[in-house]
Amino acid sequence: DFLYALENDIKPAFGPTSELLDQYQCRGITIWGDHVRHIIDQGKLLINQAKSPSAAGLVTVLLEGAPNAGKTALAAHIAKVSDFPFIKVCSSEEMVGFSETAKCLSIKKYFDDAYRSPLSCILVDNIERLLDYGPIGPRYSNLTLQVLLVLLKKEPPKGRKLLVICTSSTRSILEELGMVSAFTTILHVPNIRQVDEIVNVLENSDVFSNDDINQIKKEIGQRRLSVGIKKLLGLLDLVDQAELKDRPRKFINILQEQKRFVEQGN
Amino acid sequence: DFLYALENDIKPAFGPTSELLDQYQCRGITIWGDHVRHIIDQGKLLINQAKSPSAAGLVTVLLEGAPNAGKTALAAHIAKVSDFPFIKVCSSEEMVGFSETAKCLSIKKYFDDAYRSPLSCILVDNIERLLDYGPIGPRYSNLTLQVLLVLLKKEPPKGRKLLVICTSSTRSILEELGMVSAFTTILHVPNIRQVDEIVNVLENSDVFSNDDINQIKKEIGQRRLSVGIKKLLGLLDLVDQAELKDRPRKFINILQEQKRFVEQGN
Amino acid sequence: DFLYALENDIKPAFGPTSELLDQYQCRGITIWGDHVRHIIDQGKLLINQAKSPSAAGLVTVLLEGAPNAGKTALAAHIAKVSDFPFIKVCSSEEMVGFSETAKCLSIKKYFDDAYRSPLSCILVDNIERLLDYGPIGPRYSNLTLQVLLVLLKKEPPKGRKLLVICTSSTRSILEELGMVSAFTTILHVPNIRQVDEIVNVLENSDVFSNDDINQIKKEIGQRRLSVGIKKLLGLLDLVDQAELKDRPRKFINILQEQKRFVEQGN
Amino acid sequence: DFLYALENDIKPAFGPTSELLDQYQCRGITIWGDHVRHIIDQGKLLINQAKSPSAAGLVTVLLEGAPNAGKTALAAHIAKVSDFPFIKVCSSEEMVGFSETAKCLSIKKYFDDAYRSPLSCILVDNIERLLDYGPIGPRYSNLTLQVLLVLLKKEPPKGRKLLVICTSSTRSILEELGMVSAFTTILHVPNIRQVDEIVNVLENSDVFSNDDINQIKKEIGQRRLSVGIKKLLGLLDLVDQAELKDRPRKFINILQEQKRFVEQGN
Amino acid sequence: DFLYALENDIKPAFGPTSELLDQYQCRGITIWGDHVRHIIDQGKLLINQAKSPSAAGLVTVLLEGAPNAGKTALAAHIAKVSDFPFIKVCSSEEMVGFSETAKCLSIKKYFDDAYRSPLSCILVDNIERLLDYGPIGPRYSNLTLQVLLVLLKKEPPKGRKLLVICTSSTRSILEELGMVSAFTTILHVPNIRQVDEIVNVLENSDVFSNDDINQIKKEIGQRRLSVGIKKLLGLLDLVDQAELKDRPRKFINILQEQKRFVEQGN
Amino acid sequence: DFLYALENDIKPAFGPTSELLDQYQCRGITIWGDHVRHIIDQGKLLINQAKSPSAAGLVTVLLEGAPNAGKTALAAHIAKVSDFPFIKVCSSEEMVGFSETAKCLSIKKYFDDAYRSPLSCILVDNIERLLDYGPIGPRYSNLTLQVLLVLLKKEPPKGRKLLVICTSSTRSILEELGMVSAFTTILHVPNIRQVDEIVNVLENSDVFSNDDINQIKKEIGQRRLSVGIKKLLGLLDLVDQAELKDRPRKFINILQEQKRFVEQGN
Ligand SMILES: Nc1ncnc2c1ncn2[C@@H]1O[C@H](COP(=O)(O)OP(=O)(O)OP(=O)(O)O)[C@@H](O)[C@H]1O
Ligand SMILES: Nc1ncnc2c1ncn2[C@@H]1O[C@H](COP(=O)(O)OP(=O)(O)OP(=O)(O)O)[C@@H](O)[C@H]1O
Ligand SMILES: Nc1ncnc2c1ncn2[C@@H]1O[C@H](COP(=O)(O)OP(=O)(O)OP(=O)(O)O)[C@@H](O)[C@H]1O
Ligand SMILES: Nc1ncnc2c1ncn2[C@@H]1O[C@H](COP(=O)(O)OP(=O)(O)OP(=O)(O)O)[C@@H](O)[C@H]1O
Ligand SMILES: Nc1ncnc2c1ncn2[C@@H]1O[C@H](COP(=O)(O)OP(=O)(O)OP(=O)(O)O)[C@@H](O)[C@H]1O
Ligand SMILES: Nc1ncnc2c1ncn2[C@@H]1O[C@H](COP(=O)(O)OP(=O)(O)OP(=O)(O)O)[C@@H](O)[C@H]1O
Ligand SMILES: [Mg+2]
Ligand SMILES: [Mg+2]
Ligand SMILES: [Mg+2]
Ligand SMILES: [Mg+2]
Ligand SMILES: [Mg+2]
Ligand SMILES: [Mg+2]
């Protein structure tokens, strides 16, 4: 496993990091509401803190939210915006089938490489997958947990600067594991919940006419939803296969079938 | 184990994929009711979504239902209908005795191969067996769970399209494991429950005369049953060994012995 | 362990299969009651189902009952009666000290060999021992469980026929493990419970005179017993060491000491 | 470990089996009461059953009782009395530091060797130690349990005879593990509980004068004790170091300190 | 892993020990209150005890407190002040990805090296990380626990002197593990809790003007806080990115958002 | 690990056994009370029993008491006094980082070596550390437990004599593990609890003047303490660093801070 890892961990599957960052936001970043703006602004502030020569050398941020909320795309966006000379993505996608040890050594390598660059950014995607978290048991890789707990606290060598951007959809688990307190800052990535926010997304797609959108707006009415941007874009793909005239109906139906309408206050 | 796996995972035991898909539906697909029609229609829609150039590159569907309900045959049917240039079956039958690692590498290989083809379909049969789920404990392979959770969410490279069709008879376990939320769509494969549905199957077999079938229809009367299509076809095999005249009686008896009649509403 | 297994799993310890089947019923099959007749008849029916070209290729049956009830002897009897060209016994006796992996590969080999023959019968003796079931914990080999769950459901290749006869004295465990639902048919092997059934066995042995048997019959009277045929034959061995005149008394005493008399209804 | 075991398991640490059997009863067998006589008689009966050509080929007996009760010495006595051509002792003393696998292979070897001899006796000492039973957890070697469960039920080849004598001080554990039901016969080895039984042992030693013994007898009076023969002989060793005149007092004192006097009825 | 460890454990990542000790206190030691003075004084006393020829050869001290309280910096300070000829830092930062065994051998090596020097000091940073403590389970490396329990009690060879300084933020866990009683002395490193203590730190930084500080002092008023010195310095880094005039407001806001104000008495 | 162990287990870290025995009692044995005298006397008696040709060949004794009570020093004292030709110390200090197997083989070697000498003594220090006992879980090495349970009961070969002296501060754990009943004799090593006993120790040291001691005596008054001799000697080391005149006060203060005064009756 060890050799297997060593040979593989440096070759991202599909081209260099910048391509990967683009792929993570392949459907762009729709500014569907204030939350999105806020996260992007905070990202810029953290980039500055990481660059500041008088501040500590390590800045760590956790982007946490429900599955499909758009965490990875936003993390990739911030990483790209930083324009640091060293940017790497550390993701379980690159480590499928790695042994615990191989995973840990691979993670360590990302940080060791970063320590050698004056200004670095590491995107650690989906921490719970790196931890091999399995809800029945529950189970997790304690080896990886220890490695992350150490690396998220270890200052880079004198004069080196490191910004670590992590994503996770299981914040409560990270809290139990004593990991949340290791972060400098925590940003919540919310689901879309307001009809206006939905409309912003629909207007950005080619699936509906303006009339359709108005119809949908009326149908939703005062009801609150909760749907991640990735899920929403997927639903639009499905609806896109239906006849033009059936689409608004079908869209509302699927939202209902998938129980996306929530009691107010949730 | 590793070598063992590498040498074996590419040679399906009995000929190429298309033969295997046929074997999985070796007793055909009897359209015993609307449910069957619905699943087949949905299958076609998903094939289109997977092919659509404007949609996301990954479509994942779970066919879930009781043991013997006909899940594998229907999954094989959809896969065959897709007529995608790359179709593979990933099943625990091909991995008997594999180590956890070998199993995971084998699963990964199916996906890696698929990523290289522009339009691919993978049938992942009996997920709970791939997960080595053992109800006492309970136990499962967390390694395999992690691999599946990653691969069911990982977009194929730009421009590549992948349709993943999974089957399982333990939906609630998959839910607990956080796996269900990873699927684009979920289709339920029900047991046969109505007397007319049974009759459709009996008429399709050579075991009973028309008079026999009428007699059976009367005997069942208003009672509700619950029997999977595979189980039902097996019962017919057994009844087929009895004398011609005893068959209707024997058929009803076995249904009763095996407690296939259920209280209404179940 | 692996090599160890490969070298050993094909050489049964004491000669070919047919000898082994004889050894398993070395004290014959005494038809001590209707239950015995019924099991033997059902065995024949299943053999026919397995042979039928129009039926599915796989028939699986579980013989379950208390320890010493005579399960293995009856399973061996059915296997022998089938007279199939390929008959093999898969038993933990042949796998003492095997590793989990070796055990699984060994089991798999029995099935792989069977798939190559047009008409095969495998006797899987004492499933709970193959599963390494240990009641404290409880513990079991999940690897073996998975292998058995797959193989008990996997159809042999087109045109091949396979009858699998399993025995177990822990039915409830198999049920918890989700194994019972994998069988085509389940047959219960009961303990001897009626005085007449006991008498049938005593008359078949040389331990008692007719007078002795009558005396024993009287002593038992209306009381119900519960004793497996293997246990009963063992008791007769012990009683046989005593003086002729003491034997009836001693026989009743041992039955009492070993608490073989049960409250009616149990 | 494996190699280590193979080189060691055939060389008993201190000479051949017969010497070992003598060492196990190095302080002789004092017939301190009826219980001792009864066990010895039953031993002879079992030897005959094992030899009888008309009986089954396997006889298994469990000697169970408190620690220090004299189980191993009595088992060794029966084994020696049998005078079978093949007698072997299978004890954890010979397997200190063996791995689970090595232990199992070693146990298996004793039985395989026995199967090759027409008339064999195996003394399996201290089953709970072979099982690596640890009360906190609890823990045990499931591998060894499975091996023992199989071997205690496996008939020797046709015409071969095997008597297996086991000892254990944790009967309730064996019962939980489903092991007790595997034995043909079970014999309880009790502690010494009556003053007359103690006196029998004291008279057999050189530690006390007749007057001393009478004094001790009076001191004990109607009180019940519970002390294993091995423990009692050890106490005499200790008392032997004291001045002649102090001994009766010291003996009673130690019995009291060690809480050997029990409430009547226990 | 073993080799990996051996090659790596002697080369600290960033230069020799003295540099490392400096890096651990890279933002200096601000004497923000009496607690800090007390810890530094006690450190000097312990250094003397360790040096005293008439005292025992081993002195062990635990610095325990909340995360970010400044434990490591104070431990580094004491180690540096001792000016012992042999000073080493044993930290999980140097052992990322080490196996349990490698970690233990590495720890042992620090002590073995120290035993060879007449006057040694070992800084064992973050014991819970060395123990691989994972709160869900909970899990820990028992191997490392045993090694530490032995080494924290083992006297150096005659005439050799060893001072061991440990840090931990999970005192209660160490207590449960029976580790706390192994230390000669325990020193608590508290969070900053008084407004005057905060002011001492602010005055030491360049972030605020004197007016700003007075404003902050007023805003805090009688409220109690609880913030570690490391956390506080981090907050100042962040506030430093804001406009000059916004800083006091922003500082108070972040303290509130992060729930640093506590109910009195906590 | 195995090789590692083999090369190391025979070379005690700091010279031969006799030196080690001296080091264990490097601050002498202060006869601070009757308990000490009693343990030393019992030690002599046990040495005689072990030597007696008419007694059994194995004598085992457990010295148990709180941490720092002086167990190891007293065990070393008895071992040294025995003056047996073969004396060895078996301690976890010599086995830091050994694997379970290596530990067990090492323990076994001590006993195997002892069996070859006519008159041997083995000091097994700190049994709970040999067992790798970790209180959270709890965890322990079952392998080592089994080895110790066997070796503490196994008679040396005919004519050989073996005295085993064990120490432990977790008697209740050993009891749960079924280990206590394996010992011939158990001796309790108490903490110092009486003011006169303390005074005996103070008078033996150079820290206080006679006046100081009288002052301390008065301050303690009727209060009961509980402090191990090792802890007490350590406190004196610390007090020794203070000014002459402050010492009595400081001594009482530390006793109070460390909660050494106990409610009467405890
Ligand atoms: N405002 C937005 N924020 C995030 N993603 C957006 C936004 N607008 C459009 N997208 C698109 O939505 C998708 C979000 O998917 P992403 O993988 O980031 O979700 P996720 O929360 O990481 O999902 P998962 O829980 O599966 O990890 C991307 O394709 C991205 O291009
Ligand atoms: N409408 C139908 N749907 C599914 N299978 C059908 C249908 N009609 C006939 N069959 C036949 O019934 C059998 C269904 O078996 P299948 O293996 O698919 O069941 P399953 O639910 O996958 O069982 P398991 O729970 O054991 O995996 C196949 O042989 C198939 O040819
Ligand atoms: N009617 C009968 N049914 C079964 N066995 C019989 C019958 N009559 C006699 N026998 C003899 O009784 C013995 C039954 O032993 P068998 O090993 O089959 O019992 P089992 O239930 O498999 O025991 P276990 O629970 O130990 O596996 C055999 O020796 C067989 O020859
Ligand atoms: N009647 C007797 N029964 C058994 N042993 C006796 C008897 N009389 C004397 N002895 C002596 O007592 C000792 C009994 O020890 P033995 O090892 O058999 O006890 P045990 O019950 O096996 O102990 P453990 O529980 O430690 O295994 C032997 O030395 C034996 O010679
Ligand atoms: N009085 C002080 N005490 C400790 N550290 C101080 C003090 N004044 C300033 N510092 C600085 O504060 C920082 C304290 O960080 P340190 O790593 O010691 O915290 P910690 O408690 O070990 O954190 P963690 O819980 O993450 O291990 C150091 O950079 C140190 O230079
Ligand atoms: N009466 C005494 N009994 C024991 N030790 C004494 C006595 N008088 C002085 N000492 C000294 O006290 C110290 C006792 O330490 P020792 O290591 O024996 O304690 P311990 O109980 O084994 O501690 P631990 O619980 O850490 O194993 C030794 O240095 C010994 O020389
Ligand atoms: Mg994501
Ligand atoms: Mg299926
Ligand atoms: Mg059987
Ligand atoms: Mg014994
Ligand atoms: Mg720290
Ligand atoms: Mg000690």
Side-chain angles (χ1 to χ4, degrees), chain C residues 61 126 133:
Chain C
V61 55
N126 237 336
Y133 181 73

Side-chain angles (χ1 to χ4, degrees), chain F residues 242-259:
Chain F
E243 305 272 311
L244 260 174
K245 63 171 169 40
D246 299 341
R247 290 185 184 169
R249 184 84 309 251
K250 185 138 208 179
F251 180 67
I252 293 292
N253 281 355
I254 296 180
L255 282 178
Q256 262 158 349
E257 275 164 25
Q258 296 197 4
K259 291 174 188 154

Side-chain angles (χ1 to χ4, degrees), chain F residues 3-179:
Chain F
L3 290 173
Y4 180 80
L6 281 199
E7 286 170 35
N8 286 274
D9 65 351
I10 32 177
K11 300 177 259 168
F14 321 120
T17 302
S18 112
E19 252 179 60
L20 194 58
L21 293 180
D22 287 346
Q23 211 205 351
Y24 281 160
Q25 27 178 342
C26 61
R27 303 190 134 205
I29 303 285
T30 311
I31 310 292
W32 51 259
D34 281 349
H35 292 297
V36 181
R37 258 182 295 271
H38 175 72
I39 293 165
I40 291 171
D41 287 354
Q42 287 290 102
K44 282 179 198 147
L45 210 77
L46 288 161
I47 293 167
N48 282 339
Q49 182 179 356
K51 283 199 231 166
S52 157
S54 70
L58 180 70
V59 175
T60 56
V61 55
L62 174 66
L63 293 179
E64 56 84 15
N68 303 310
K71 303 171 297 293
T72 304
L74 285 167
H77 177 83
I78 296 172
K80 185 124 201 181
V81 161
S82 80
D83 208 31
F84 282 7
F86 177 103
I87 308 181
K88 287 281 174 198
V89 176
C90 169
S91 153
S92 50
E93 291 188 2
E94 309 294 315
M95 304 185 199
V96 171
F98 278 32
S99 71
E100 256 193 318
T101 314
K103 229 172 233 188
C104 288
L105 288 173
S106 182
I107 295 170
K108 186 175 183 304
K109 196 168 179 319
Y110 283 107
F111 281 81
D112 281 345
D113 290 353
Y115 297 150
R116 279 192 222 100
S117 158
L119 201 55
S120 312
C121 173
I122 301 177
L123 195 172
V124 181
D125 195 28
N126 236 338
I127 290 193
E128 65 271 27
R129 273 302 76 66
L130 279 186
L131 289 175
D132 286 328
Y133 181 72
I136 297 184
R139 307 212 197 140
Y140 62 97
S141 160
N142 194 27
L143 202 63
T144 315
L145 174 64
Q146 301 303 324
V147 165
L148 285 173
L149 283 174
V150 168
L151 293 178
L152 285 173
K153 283 231 154 188
K154 179 175 174 178
E155 285 281 319
K158 224 174 163 170
R160 307 283 157 83
K161 298 292 187 177
L162 174 58
L163 171 64
V164 183
I165 311 173
C166 301
T167 76
S168 172
S169 56
T170 55
R171 182 190 163 137
S172 64
I173 304 303
L174 299 196
E175 215 137 8
E176 270 188 71
L177 288 171
M179 225 178 183

Side-chain angles (χ1 to χ4, degrees), chain D residues 1 4 13-14 23 27 67-68 92-93 96-98 103 128-129 132-137 139-140 230-231 234 237-238 240-241 250 258, chain F residues 45 48-49 52 54-56 101 105 108 138-140 142-143 145-147 149-151 153-158 173 176-178 183-184:
Chain D
D1 289 332
Y4 180 79
F14 321 120
Q23 212 205 350
R27 302 190 136 204
N68 303 310
S92 51
E93 291 188 2
V96 171
F98 277 32
K103 230 172 231 187
E128 65 271 26
R129 273 303 75 68
D132 287 326
Y133 181 73
I136 297 184
R139 308 213 196 139
Y140 62 98
K230 190 160 86 178
K231 195 85 197 172
D237 283 350
L238 196 74
D240 208 24
Q241 311 303 316
K250 185 139 209 181
Q258 295 197 4
Chain F
L45 210 77
N48 282 339
Q49 182 179 356
S52 157
S54 70
T101 314
L105 288 173
K108 186 175 183 304
R139 307 212 197 140
Y140 62 97
N142 194 27
L143 202 63
L145 174 64
Q146 301 303 324
V147 165
L149 283 174
V150 168
L151 293 178
K153 283 231 154 188
K154 179 175 174 178
E155 285 281 319
K158 224 174 163 170
I173 304 303
E176 270 188 71
L177 288 171
F183 286 99
T184 310

